[in-house]
Amino acid sequence: MAKHKFVANHEGFREILRRQSTQQRILGICQEVASRMGEGYVADVQPGKNRAQGMVKPATREADEDNRRNNTLLKGGNGGAP
């Protein structure tokens, strides 16, 4: 039986994770999560050295207070359900 050795192309993975199309997909997912949280939450994508990173954050004072009281960001806007 032949033995196969997998060699990861790390630079190739990084290139995929930095692509504009990947960033758009991440942004879409983050926007869907932000919409579940209610008014005042916004989605953003930050391109990085190795990969793009998505985030959802409170944009208004009311959303910030809601997050502090209810841990809305930790729960993902759905009461903690997966």
Side-chain angles (χ1 to χ4, degrees), residues 17-47:
L17 294 172
R18 290 187 303 237
R19 282 184 189 166
Q20 185 66 28
S21 60
T22 304
Q23 291 180 30
Q24 291 300 318
R25 189 164 186 176
I26 292 169
L27 181 61
I29 293 167
C30 290
Q31 286 173 335
E32 190 272 324
V33 171
S35 70
R36 287 194 319 231
M37 292 185 185
E39 290 290 318
Y41 291 91
V42 296
D44 192 20
V45 173
Q46 296 290 321

